[in-house]
PDB file of all heavy atoms in Angstrom:
ATOM      1  N   SER A1007      98.528  92.845  90.129  1.00 85.00           N
ATOM      2  CA  SER A1007      98.404  94.224  90.592  1.00 85.00           C
ATOM      3  C   SER A1007      99.534  95.112  90.103  1.00 85.00           C
ATOM      4  O   SER A1007      99.341  96.317  89.951  1.00 85.00           O
ATOM      5  CB  SER A1007      98.362  94.252  92.127  1.00 85.00           C
ATOM      6  OG  SER A1007      98.207  95.563  92.608  1.00 85.00           O
ATOM      7  N   SER A1008     100.724  94.531  89.837  1.00 81.00           N
ATOM      8  CA  SER A1008     101.870  95.382  89.509  1.00 81.00           C
ATOM      9  C   SER A1008     102.541  95.061  88.185  1.00 81.00           C
ATOM     10  O   SER A1008     103.400  95.817  87.745  1.00 81.00           O
ATOM     11  CB  SER A1008     102.924  95.267  90.618  1.00 81.00           C
ATOM     12  OG  SER A1008     103.449  93.949  90.682  1.00 81.00           O
ATOM     13  N   HIS A1016      93.700  96.264  90.335  1.00 81.00           N
ATOM     14  CA  HIS A1016      93.818  96.707  91.728  1.00 81.00           C
ATOM     15  C   HIS A1016      93.292  95.612  92.659  1.00 81.00           C
ATOM     16  O   HIS A1016      92.210  95.720  93.241  1.00 81.00           O
ATOM     17  CB  HIS A1016      93.068  98.014  91.919  1.00 81.00           C
ATOM     18  CG  HIS A1016      93.560  99.110  91.028  1.00 81.00           C
ATOM     19  ND1 HIS A1016      94.789  99.705  91.206  1.00 81.00           N
ATOM     20  CD2 HIS A1016      93.013  99.700  89.938  1.00 81.00           C
ATOM     21  CE1 HIS A1016      94.975 100.629  90.274  1.00 81.00           C
ATOM     22  NE2 HIS A1016      93.911 100.637  89.489  1.00 81.00           N
ATOM     23  N   TRP A1079     100.829  88.348  98.871  1.00 94.00           N
ATOM     24  CA  TRP A1079     100.369  89.369  97.921  1.00 94.00           C
ATOM     25  C   TRP A1079     101.470  90.403  97.685  1.00 94.00           C
ATOM     26  O   TRP A1079     101.729  90.796  96.542  1.00 94.00           O
ATOM     27  CB  TRP A1079      99.108  90.045  98.452  1.00 94.00           C
ATOM     28  CG  TRP A1079      98.504  91.027  97.494  1.00 94.00           C
ATOM     29  CD1 TRP A1079      97.595  90.764  96.512  1.00 94.00           C
ATOM     30  CD2 TRP A1079      98.776  92.429  97.413  1.00 94.00           C
ATOM     31  NE1 TRP A1079      97.279  91.915  95.831  1.00 94.00           N
ATOM     32  CE2 TRP A1079      97.994  92.962  96.355  1.00 94.00           C
ATOM     33  CE3 TRP A1079      99.605  93.291  98.132  1.00 94.00           C
ATOM     34  CZ2 TRP A1079      98.014  94.298  96.003  1.00 94.00           C
ATOM     35  CZ3 TRP A1079      99.626  94.635  97.780  1.00 94.00           C
ATOM     36  CH2 TRP A1079      98.840  95.126  96.734  1.00 94.00           C
ATOM     37  N   THR A1083     103.549  91.454  94.199  1.00 91.00           N
ATOM     38  CA  THR A1083     103.738  92.792  93.621  1.00 91.00           C
ATOM     39  C   THR A1083     105.216  93.054  93.342  1.00 91.00           C
ATOM     40  O   THR A1083     105.553  93.746  92.372  1.00 91.00           O
ATOM     41  CB  THR A1083     103.198  93.882  94.561  1.00 91.00           C
ATOM     42  OG1 THR A1083     103.919  93.857  95.806  1.00 91.00           O
ATOM     43  CG2 THR A1083     101.724  93.686  94.838  1.00 91.00           C
ATOM     44  N   GLU A1087     107.352  93.550  89.348  1.00 86.00           N
ATOM     45  CA  GLU A1087     108.254  94.624  88.926  1.00 86.00           C
ATOM     46  C   GLU A1087     109.470  94.109  88.161  1.00 86.00           C
ATOM     47  O   GLU A1087     110.271  94.905  87.665  1.00 86.00           O
ATOM     48  CB  GLU A1087     108.744  95.407  90.156  1.00 86.00           C
ATOM     49  CG  GLU A1087     107.644  96.015  91.020  1.00 86.00           C
ATOM     50  CD  GLU A1087     106.893  97.121  90.324  1.00 86.00           C
ATOM     51  OE1 GLU A1087     107.357  97.593  89.273  1.00 86.00           O
ATOM     52  OE2 GLU A1087     105.814  97.505  90.830  1.00 86.00           O
ATOM     53  N   TRP A1124     104.157 116.815  89.675  1.00 68.00           N
ATOM     54  CA  TRP A1124     104.261 115.426  89.222  1.00 68.00           C
ATOM     55  C   TRP A1124     105.632 115.151  88.602  1.00 68.00           C
ATOM     56  O   TRP A1124     106.249 114.109  88.869  1.00 68.00           O
ATOM     57  CB  TRP A1124     103.152 115.124  88.231  1.00 68.00           C
ATOM     58  CG  TRP A1124     103.096 113.699  87.769  1.00 68.00           C
ATOM     59  CD1 TRP A1124     103.355 113.226  86.525  1.00 68.00           C
ATOM     60  CD2 TRP A1124     102.744 112.551  88.554  1.00 68.00           C
ATOM     61  NE1 TRP A1124     103.188 111.867  86.472  1.00 68.00           N
ATOM     62  CE2 TRP A1124     102.815 111.423  87.711  1.00 68.00           C
ATOM     63  CE3 TRP A1124     102.382 112.375  89.887  1.00 68.00           C
ATOM     64  CZ2 TRP A1124     102.541 110.138  88.150  1.00 68.00           C
ATOM     65  CZ3 TRP A1124     102.105 111.088  90.327  1.00 68.00           C
ATOM     66  CH2 TRP A1124     102.185 109.995  89.472  1.00 68.00           C
ATOM     67  N   ARG A1126     108.407 116.844  89.194  1.00 74.00           N
ATOM     68  CA  ARG A1126     109.396 116.891  90.272  1.00 74.00           C
ATOM     69  C   ARG A1126     109.410 115.587  91.067  1.00 74.00           C
ATOM     70  O   ARG A1126     110.468 115.117  91.497  1.00 74.00           O
ATOM     71  CB  ARG A1126     109.094 118.064  91.210  1.00 74.00           C
ATOM     72  CG  ARG A1126     109.366 119.431  90.608  1.00 74.00           C
ATOM     73  CD  ARG A1126     108.987 120.526  91.605  1.00 74.00           C
ATOM     74  NE  ARG A1126     109.148 121.847  91.031  1.00 74.00           N
ATOM     75  CZ  ARG A1126     110.301 122.540  91.059  1.00 74.00           C
ATOM     76  NH1 ARG A1126     111.362 122.014  91.649  1.00 74.00           N
ATOM     77  NH2 ARG A1126     110.377 123.735  90.514  1.00 74.00           N
ATOM     78  N   SER A1127     108.232 114.997  91.258  1.00 73.00           N
ATOM     79  CA  SER A1127     108.153 113.730  91.982  1.00 73.00           C
ATOM     80  C   SER A1127     108.865 112.622  91.211  1.00 73.00           C
ATOM     81  O   SER A1127     109.588 111.808  91.791  1.00 73.00           O
ATOM     82  CB  SER A1127     106.691 113.347  92.217  1.00 73.00           C
ATOM     83  OG  SER A1127     106.023 114.340  92.963  1.00 73.00           O
ATOM     84  N   LYS A1128     108.648 112.572  89.901  1.00 72.00           N
ATOM     85  CA  LYS A1128     109.333 111.583  89.080  1.00 72.00           C
ATOM     86  C   LYS A1128     110.850 111.751  89.165  1.00 72.00           C
ATOM     87  O   LYS A1128     111.593 110.770  89.325  1.00 72.00           O
ATOM     88  CB  LYS A1128     108.891 111.702  87.616  1.00 72.00           C
ATOM     89  CG  LYS A1128     107.482 111.223  87.331  1.00 72.00           C
ATOM     90  CD  LYS A1128     107.191 111.338  85.838  1.00 72.00           C
ATOM     91  CE  LYS A1128     105.789 110.820  85.513  1.00 72.00           C
ATOM     92  NZ  LYS A1128     105.514 110.929  84.054  1.00 72.00           N
ATOM     93  N   LEU A1129     111.306 112.999  89.069  1.00 75.00           N
ATOM     94  CA  LEU A1129     112.735 113.268  89.115  1.00 75.00           C
ATOM     95  C   LEU A1129     113.314 112.941  90.488  1.00 75.00           C
ATOM     96  O   LEU A1129     114.448 112.448  90.603  1.00 75.00           O
ATOM     97  CB  LEU A1129     112.994 114.739  88.770  1.00 75.00           C
ATOM     98  CG  LEU A1129     114.439 115.143  88.449  1.00 75.00           C
ATOM     99  CD1 LEU A1129     114.969 114.332  87.282  1.00 75.00           C
ATOM    100  CD2 LEU A1129     114.516 116.632  88.140  1.00 75.00           C
ATOM    101  N   PHE A1130     112.522 113.172  91.551  1.00 77.00           N
ATOM    102  CA  PHE A1130     112.977 112.854  92.911  1.00 77.00           C
ATOM    103  C   PHE A1130     113.183 111.356  93.080  1.00 77.00           C
ATOM    104  O   PHE A1130     114.197 110.914  93.640  1.00 77.00           O
ATOM    105  CB  PHE A1130     111.960 113.373  93.935  1.00 77.00           C
ATOM    106  CG  PHE A1130     112.262 112.950  95.343  1.00 77.00           C
ATOM    107  CD1 PHE A1130     113.257 113.581  96.076  1.00 77.00           C
ATOM    108  CD2 PHE A1130     111.555 111.905  95.927  1.00 77.00           C
ATOM    109  CE1 PHE A1130     113.542 113.189  97.363  1.00 77.00           C
ATOM    110  CE2 PHE A1130     111.833 111.503  97.218  1.00 77.00           C
ATOM    111  CZ  PHE A1130     112.832 112.146  97.941  1.00 77.00           C
ATOM    112  N   VAL A1131     112.223 110.540  92.606  1.00 75.00           N
ATOM    113  CA  VAL A1131     112.349 109.087  92.700  1.00 75.00           C
ATOM    114  C   VAL A1131     113.545 108.606  91.888  1.00 75.00           C
ATOM    115  O   VAL A1131     114.315 107.733  92.326  1.00 75.00           O
ATOM    116  CB  VAL A1131     111.056 108.401  92.225  1.00 75.00           C
ATOM    117  CG1 VAL A1131     111.235 106.898  92.141  1.00 75.00           C
ATOM    118  CG2 VAL A1131     109.903 108.746  93.153  1.00 75.00           C
ATOM    119  N   HIS A1132     113.739 109.187  90.709  1.00 74.00           N
ATOM    120  CA  HIS A1132     114.886 108.851  89.854  1.00 74.00           C
ATOM    121  C   HIS A1132     116.195 109.110  90.587  1.00 74.00           C
ATOM    122  O   HIS A1132     117.078 108.240  90.652  1.00 74.00           O
ATOM    123  CB  HIS A1132     114.808 109.677  88.566  1.00 74.00           C
ATOM    124  CG  HIS A1132     115.975 109.489  87.646  1.00 74.00           C
ATOM    125  ND1 HIS A1132     117.183 110.134  87.826  1.00 74.00           N
ATOM    126  CD2 HIS A1132     116.116 108.728  86.531  1.00 74.00           C
ATOM    127  CE1 HIS A1132     118.014 109.786  86.872  1.00 74.00           C
ATOM    128  NE2 HIS A1132     117.395 108.930  86.078  1.00 74.00           N
ATOM    129  N   LEU A1134     116.652 109.532  93.829  1.00 79.00           N
ATOM    130  CA  LEU A1134     116.730 108.741  95.056  1.00 79.00           C
ATOM    131  C   LEU A1134     117.278 107.348  94.773  1.00 79.00           C
ATOM    132  O   LEU A1134     118.173 106.863  95.487  1.00 79.00           O
ATOM    133  CB  LEU A1134     115.336 108.641  95.684  1.00 79.00           C
ATOM    134  CG  LEU A1134     115.217 107.812  96.972  1.00 79.00           C
ATOM    135  CD1 LEU A1134     115.960 108.497  98.105  1.00 79.00           C
ATOM    136  CD2 LEU A1134     113.747 107.609  97.347  1.00 79.00           C
ATOM    137  N   ILE A1135     116.769 106.710  93.729  1.00 79.00           N
ATOM    138  CA  ILE A1135     117.221 105.363  93.391  1.00 79.00           C
ATOM    139  C   ILE A1135     118.648 105.381  92.853  1.00 79.00           C
ATOM    140  O   ILE A1135     119.460 104.506  93.177  1.00 79.00           O
ATOM    141  CB  ILE A1135     116.256 104.726  92.382  1.00 79.00           C
ATOM    142  CG1 ILE A1135     114.896 104.475  93.054  1.00 79.00           C
ATOM    143  CG2 ILE A1135     116.813 103.431  91.809  1.00 79.00           C
ATOM    144  CD1 ILE A1135     113.826 103.988  92.125  1.00 79.00           C
ATOM    145  N   GLY A1142     117.412 103.576  98.813  1.00 85.00           N
ATOM    146  CA  GLY A1142     116.495 104.374  98.008  1.00 85.00           C
ATOM    147  C   GLY A1142     115.376 103.535  97.431  1.00 85.00           C
ATOM    148  O   GLY A1142     114.202 103.948  97.438  1.00 85.00           O
ATOM    149  N   ILE A1143     115.723 102.328  96.928  1.00 87.00           N
ATOM    150  CA  ILE A1143     114.694 101.415  96.421  1.00 87.00           C
ATOM    151  C   ILE A1143     113.771 100.991  97.548  1.00 87.00           C
ATOM    152  O   ILE A1143     112.543 100.933  97.400  1.00 87.00           O
ATOM    153  CB  ILE A1143     115.349 100.188  95.766  1.00 87.00           C
ATOM    154  CG1 ILE A1143     116.301 100.612  94.645  1.00 87.00           C
ATOM    155  CG2 ILE A1143     114.291  99.237  95.219  1.00 87.00           C
ATOM    156  CD1 ILE A1143     117.195  99.493  94.151  1.00 87.00           C
ATOM    157  N   LEU A1144     114.363 100.700  98.721  1.00 89.00           N
ATOM    158  CA  LEU A1144     113.568 100.282  99.879  1.00 89.00           C
ATOM    159  C   LEU A1144     112.586 101.370 100.299  1.00 89.00           C
ATOM    160  O   LEU A1144     111.416 101.093 100.576  1.00 89.00           O
ATOM    161  CB  LEU A1144     114.502  99.941 101.041  1.00 89.00           C
ATOM    162  CG  LEU A1144     113.837  99.470 102.341  1.00 89.00           C
ATOM    163  CD1 LEU A1144     113.119  98.151 102.108  1.00 89.00           C
ATOM    164  CD2 LEU A1144     114.876  99.332 103.443  1.00 89.00           C
ATOM    165  N   ALA A1145     113.064 102.629 100.313  1.00 86.00           N
ATOM    166  CA  ALA A1145     112.182 103.731 100.700  1.00 86.00           C
ATOM    167  C   ALA A1145     111.047 103.909  99.699  1.00 86.00           C
ATOM    168  O   ALA A1145     109.892 104.145 100.076  1.00 86.00           O
ATOM    169  CB  ALA A1145     112.993 105.023 100.817  1.00 86.00           C
ATOM    170  N   ALA A1146     111.352 103.777  98.405  1.00 84.00           N
ATOM    171  CA  ALA A1146     110.321 103.944  97.372  1.00 84.00           C
ATOM    172  C   ALA A1146     109.314 102.801  97.391  1.00 84.00           C
ATOM    173  O   ALA A1146     108.143 102.998  97.047  1.00 84.00           O
ATOM    174  CB  ALA A1146     110.971 104.044  95.997  1.00 84.00           C
ATOM    175  N   ALA A1147     109.759 101.605  97.795  1.00 86.00           N
ATOM    176  CA  ALA A1147     108.872 100.442  97.796  1.00 86.00           C
ATOM    177  C   ALA A1147     108.055 100.328  99.075  1.00 86.00           C
ATOM    178  O   ALA A1147     107.073  99.574  99.109  1.00 86.00           O
ATOM    179  CB  ALA A1147     109.682  99.163  97.604  1.00 86.00           C
ATOM    180  N   SER A1148     108.434 101.050 100.125  1.00 86.00           N
ATOM    181  CA  SER A1148     107.823 100.863 101.443  1.00 86.00           C
ATOM    182  C   SER A1148     106.566 101.692 101.661  1.00 86.00           C
ATOM    183  O   SER A1148     105.935 101.577 102.715  1.00 86.00           O
ATOM    184  CB  SER A1148     108.839 101.191 102.542  1.00 86.00           C
ATOM    185  OG  SER A1148     109.946 100.321 102.463  1.00 86.00           O
ATOM    186  N   ILE A1149     106.219 102.538 100.705  1.00 80.00           N
ATOM    187  CA  ILE A1149     105.011 103.348 100.820  1.00 80.00           C
ATOM    188  C   ILE A1149     104.181 103.164  99.556  1.00 80.00           C
ATOM    189  O   ILE A1149     104.723 102.811  98.507  1.00 80.00           O
ATOM    190  CB  ILE A1149     105.348 104.853 101.006  1.00 80.00           C
ATOM    191  CG1 ILE A1149     106.199 105.353  99.839  1.00 80.00           C
ATOM    192  CG2 ILE A1149     106.053 105.090 102.328  1.00 80.00           C
ATOM    193  CD1 ILE A1149     106.458 106.839  99.864  1.00 80.00           C
ATOM    194  N   PRO A1150     102.855 103.354  99.637  1.00 76.00           N
ATOM    195  CA  PRO A1150     102.045 103.322  98.403  1.00 76.00           C
ATOM    196  C   PRO A1150     102.544 104.388  97.438  1.00 76.00           C
ATOM    197  O   PRO A1150     102.389 105.583  97.677  1.00 76.00           O
ATOM    198  CB  PRO A1150     100.627 103.619  98.909  1.00 76.00           C
ATOM    199  CG  PRO A1150     100.644 103.216 100.350  1.00 76.00           C
ATOM    200  CD  PRO A1150     102.029 103.520 100.848  1.00 76.00           C
ATOM    201  N   ASN A1151     103.183 103.948  96.362  1.00 70.00           N
ATOM    202  CA  ASN A1151     103.909 104.866  95.490  1.00 70.00           C
ATOM    203  C   ASN A1151     103.608 104.529  94.030  1.00 70.00           C
ATOM    204  O   ASN A1151     104.142 103.553  93.497  1.00 70.00           O
ATOM    205  CB  ASN A1151     105.409 104.754  95.774  1.00 70.00           C
ATOM    206  CG  ASN A1151     106.243 105.682  94.908  1.00 70.00           C
ATOM    207  OD1 ASN A1151     105.723 106.550  94.213  1.00 70.00           O
ATOM    208  ND2 ASN A1151     107.541 105.496  94.954  1.00 70.00           N
ATOM    209  N   PRO A1152     102.771 105.315  93.364  1.00 67.00           N
ATOM    210  CA  PRO A1152     102.460 105.025  91.957  1.00 67.00           C
ATOM    211  C   PRO A1152     103.656 105.175  91.036  1.00 67.00           C
ATOM    212  O   PRO A1152     103.649 104.668  89.919  1.00 67.00           O
ATOM    213  CB  PRO A1152     101.365 106.055  91.619  1.00 67.00           C
ATOM    214  CG  PRO A1152     101.568 107.169  92.590  1.00 67.00           C
ATOM    215  CD  PRO A1152     102.059 106.530  93.848  1.00 67.00           C
ATOM    216  N   LEU A1153     104.707 105.868  91.497  1.00 68.00           N
ATOM    217  CA  LEU A1153     105.892 106.069  90.675  1.00 68.00           C
ATOM    218  C   LEU A1153     106.868 104.907  90.758  1.00 68.00           C
ATOM    219  O   LEU A1153     107.876 104.908  90.066  1.00 68.00           O
ATOM    220  CB  LEU A1153     106.610 107.367  91.094  1.00 68.00           C
ATOM    221  CG  LEU A1153     105.828 108.661  90.881  1.00 68.00           C
ATOM    222  CD1 LEU A1153     106.599 109.843  91.432  1.00 68.00           C
ATOM    223  CD2 LEU A1153     105.526 108.868  89.404  1.00 68.00           C
ATOM    224  N   PHE A1154     106.582 103.907  91.612  1.00 73.00           N
ATOM    225  CA  PHE A1154     107.524 102.796  91.727  1.00 73.00           C
ATOM    226  C   PHE A1154     107.554 101.950  90.465  1.00 73.00           C
ATOM    227  O   PHE A1154     108.482 101.154  90.278  1.00 73.00           O
ATOM    228  CB  PHE A1154     107.174 101.920  92.936  1.00 73.00           C
ATOM    229  CG  PHE A1154     108.267 100.950  93.294  1.00 73.00           C
ATOM    230  CD1 PHE A1154     109.378 101.373  94.006  1.00 73.00           C
ATOM    231  CD2 PHE A1154     108.196  99.623  92.898  1.00 73.00           C
ATOM    232  CE1 PHE A1154     110.396 100.490  94.325  1.00 73.00           C
ATOM    233  CE2 PHE A1154     109.211  98.735  93.212  1.00 73.00           C
ATOM    234  CZ  PHE A1154     110.309  99.175  93.928  1.00 73.00           C
ATOM    235  N   ASP A1155     106.549 102.105  89.584  1.00 70.00           N
ATOM    236  CA  ASP A1155     106.589 101.385  88.311  1.00 70.00           C
ATOM    237  C   ASP A1155     107.848 101.730  87.521  1.00 70.00           C
ATOM    238  O   ASP A1155     108.340 100.922  86.730  1.00 70.00           O
ATOM    239  CB  ASP A1155     105.357 101.722  87.469  1.00 70.00           C
ATOM    240  CG  ASP A1155     104.078 101.167  88.096  1.00 70.00           C
ATOM    241  OD1 ASP A1155     104.199 100.259  88.943  1.00 70.00           O
ATOM    242  OD2 ASP A1155     102.992 101.640  87.754  1.00 70.00           O
ATOM    243  N   LEU A1156     108.366 102.959  87.735  1.00 75.00           N
ATOM    244  CA  LEU A1156     109.589 103.374  87.048  1.00 75.00           C
ATOM    245  C   LEU A1156     110.842 102.789  87.675  1.00 75.00           C
ATOM    246  O   LEU A1156     111.911 102.815  87.069  1.00 75.00           O
ATOM    247  CB  LEU A1156     109.704 104.907  87.071  1.00 75.00           C
ATOM    248  CG  LEU A1156     108.639 105.690  86.307  1.00 75.00           C
ATOM    249  CD1 LEU A1156     108.755 107.176  86.620  1.00 75.00           C
ATOM    250  CD2 LEU A1156     108.782 105.447  84.815  1.00 75.00           C
ATOM    251  N   ALA A1157     110.733 102.274  88.908  1.00 78.00           N
ATOM    252  CA  ALA A1157     111.918 101.811  89.627  1.00 78.00           C
ATOM    253  C   ALA A1157     112.593 100.653  88.913  1.00 78.00           C
ATOM    254  O   ALA A1157     113.826 100.596  88.837  1.00 78.00           O
ATOM    255  CB  ALA A1157     111.541 101.413  91.051  1.00 78.00           C
ATOM    256  N   GLY A1158     111.787  99.713  88.392  1.00 80.00           N
ATOM    257  CA  GLY A1158     112.374  98.585  87.687  1.00 80.00           C
ATOM    258  C   GLY A1158     113.163  99.024  86.466  1.00 80.00           C
ATOM    259  O   GLY A1158     114.272  98.540  86.210  1.00 80.00           O
ATOM    260  N   MET A1160     114.496 102.032  85.960  1.00 81.00           N
ATOM    261  CA  MET A1160     115.676 102.775  86.412  1.00 81.00           C
ATOM    262  C   MET A1160     116.772 101.844  86.908  1.00 81.00           C
ATOM    263  O   MET A1160     117.952 102.002  86.558  1.00 81.00           O
ATOM    264  CB  MET A1160     115.277 103.743  87.526  1.00 81.00           C
ATOM    265  CG  MET A1160     114.322 104.839  87.097  1.00 81.00           C
ATOM    266  SD  MET A1160     113.795 105.833  88.515  1.00 81.00           S
ATOM    267  CE  MET A1160     112.525 106.841  87.763  1.00 81.00           C
ATOM    268  N   GLY A1178     110.455  95.945 101.095  1.00 92.00           N
ATOM    269  CA  GLY A1178     109.606  97.127 101.151  1.00 92.00           C
ATOM    270  C   GLY A1178     108.148  96.824 100.913  1.00 92.00           C
ATOM    271  O   GLY A1178     107.266  97.276 101.655  1.00 92.00           O
ATOM    272  N   LYS A1179     107.852  96.028  99.871  1.00 91.00           N
ATOM    273  CA  LYS A1179     106.460  95.782  99.492  1.00 91.00           C
ATOM    274  C   LYS A1179     105.800  94.706 100.349  1.00 91.00           C
ATOM    275  O   LYS A1179     104.641  94.847 100.748  1.00 91.00           O
ATOM    276  CB  LYS A1179     106.390  95.377  98.010  1.00 91.00           C
ATOM    277  CG  LYS A1179     106.586  96.530  97.034  1.00 91.00           C
ATOM    278  CD  LYS A1179     106.588  96.026  95.611  1.00 91.00           C
ATOM    279  CE  LYS A1179     106.509  97.182  94.616  1.00 91.00           C
ATOM    280  NZ  LYS A1179     105.193  97.810  94.560  1.00 91.00           N
ATOM    281  N   LYS A1183     105.450  97.843 103.650  1.00 91.00           N
ATOM    282  CA  LYS A1183     104.218  98.448 103.127  1.00 91.00           C
ATOM    283  C   LYS A1183     102.991  97.621 103.473  1.00 91.00           C
ATOM    284  O   LYS A1183     101.937  98.175 103.797  1.00 91.00           O
ATOM    285  CB  LYS A1183     104.317  98.636 101.610  1.00 91.00           C
ATOM    286  CG  LYS A1183     103.152  99.441 101.049  1.00 91.00           C
ATOM    287  CD  LYS A1183     103.312  99.732  99.570  1.00 91.00           C
ATOM    288  CE  LYS A1183     102.937  98.561  98.725  1.00 91.00           C
ATOM    289  NZ  LYS A1183     102.856  98.900  97.284  1.00 91.00           N
ATOM    290  N   LEU A1186     101.814  98.329 106.910  1.00 92.00           N
ATOM    291  CA  LEU A1186     101.126  99.623 106.950  1.00 92.00           C
ATOM    292  C   LEU A1186      99.706  99.504 106.407  1.00 92.00           C
ATOM    293  O   LEU A1186      98.747 100.049 106.986  1.00 92.00           O
ATOM    294  CB  LEU A1186     101.914 100.660 106.147  1.00 92.00           C
ATOM    295  CG  LEU A1186     103.283 101.067 106.697  1.00 92.00           C
ATOM    296  CD1 LEU A1186     103.988 102.008 105.724  1.00 92.00           C
ATOM    297  CD2 LEU A1186     103.148 101.733 108.056  1.00 92.00           C
ATOM    298  N   GLN A1187      99.549  98.789 105.299  1.00 91.00           N
ATOM    299  CA  GLN A1187      98.226  98.622 104.701  1.00 91.00           C
ATOM    300  C   GLN A1187      97.315  97.767 105.582  1.00 91.00           C
ATOM    301  O   GLN A1187      96.124  98.062 105.730  1.00 91.00           O
ATOM    302  CB  GLN A1187      98.359  98.009 103.298  1.00 91.00           C
ATOM    303  CG  GLN A1187      98.973  98.966 102.290  1.00 91.00           C
ATOM    304  CD  GLN A1187      99.152  98.334 100.923  1.00 91.00           C
ATOM    305  OE1 GLN A1187      99.841  97.331 100.779  1.00 91.00           O
ATOM    306  NE2 GLN A1187      98.543  98.927  99.914  1.00 91.00           N
TER     307      GLN A1187
END
Side-chain angles (χ1 to χ4, degrees):
S1007 182
S1008 65
H1016 301 290
W1079 185 88
T1083 62
E1087 303 293 347
W1124 184 248
R1126 289 178 184 273
S1127 301
K1128 288 182 178 180
L1129 194 58
F1130 173 77
V1131 172
H1132 176 279
L1134 179 67
I1135 292 174
I1143 303 168
L1144 180 64
S1148 298
I1149 58 174
N1151 180 10
L1153 296 176
F1154 193 79
D1155 292 342
L1156 295 170
M1160 295 175 188
K1179 285 176 169 287
K1183 188 175 79 170
L1186 293 175
Q1187 290 178 301

